[in-house]
Amino acid sequence: MKAVVPGSYDPLTLGHLDVVTRASELFDEVIVAVGVNNSKNYFCDMDARVQMATEALRHLPTVSVEPMEGLLVDFCADHSVSVIVRGARGGADFEAEWAMAAMNSSLGNIDTVILPSAVEIGFISSTLVRSVARAGGDITRYVPPSVVHALEKE
């Protein structure tokens, strides 16, 4: 069975890495769909986000990374994906994910699996990592080494 793990991955964090790794253990093939959210002010452009995710996930042989524009359900249909996998850090995330799962089910008749975050990294978010990075702080404990290296080039 094929699954998609969508996100903006700006940047990819250890939380994302955990969810994708666990998804790769549950499904035969996983596509990490790097998307566009028009309400976000991106730290990195699409090409950089795709490259960072590709490098960070290279060790997972059943995982591929692709850019995604438009509706997730359309991406799923185009790639014959039957399940969306999302991570959730806590109650507010679960509520938001439930609403998105219901909408995706309504739009595209697709199921969503929500994986709770690992306790030790449940506080990490791309938003917090971007804030620390923009202020010149050390983000090495929150993102894979390849992401640190890529951001140093930016």
Side-chain angles (χ1 to χ4, degrees):
M1 184 180 289
K2 192 186 300 188
V4 66
V5 184
S8 56
Y9 302 103
D10 186 40
L12 183 133
T13 68
L14 295 181
H16 296 128
L17 182 60
D18 176 61
V19 170
V20 173
T21 299
R22 290 164 52 207
S24 74
E25 295 166 357
L26 296 171
F27 298 95
D28 300 320
E29 183 180 344
V30 174
I31 302 172
V32 171
V34 179
V36 175
N37 180 337
N38 293 325
S39 67
K40 289 189 176 185
N41 180 19
Y42 287 105
F43 191 62
C44 300
D45 66 22
M46 173 67 83
D47 290 340
R49 292 182 287 130
V50 167
Q51 183 58 39
M52 281 187 283
T54 299
E55 185 61 32
L57 301 167
R58 185 176 308 276
H59 67 286
L60 300 171
T62 60
V63 174
S64 62
V65 179
E66 294 193 31
M68 177 187 71
E69 292 187 25
L71 289 175
L72 176 58
V73 294
D74 293 338
F75 181 91
C76 291
D78 291 345
H79 292 80
S80 302
V81 171
S82 55
V83 177
I84 298 166
V85 177
R86 300 285 296 171
R89 294 173 297 231
D93 277 0
F94 278 99
E95 250 182 71
E97 294 301 338
W98 181 89
M100 283 192 281
M103 181 59 80
N104 287 327
S105 177
S106 175
L107 287 170
N109 196 28
I110 190 162
D111 287 322
T112 299
V113 172
I114 302 172
L115 298 176
S117 68
V119 174
E120 63 276 9
I121 57 175
F123 67 95
I124 300 172
S125 73
S126 290
T127 301
L128 291 174
V129 169
R130 282 193 308 272
S131 294
V132 171
R134 283 185 173 129
D138 180 11
I139 60 168
T140 57
R141 295 183 305 171
Y142 313 115
V143 299
S146 61
V147 171
V148 172
H149 181 69
L151 292 177
E152 287 172 348
K153 292 180 180 178
E154 290 284 317

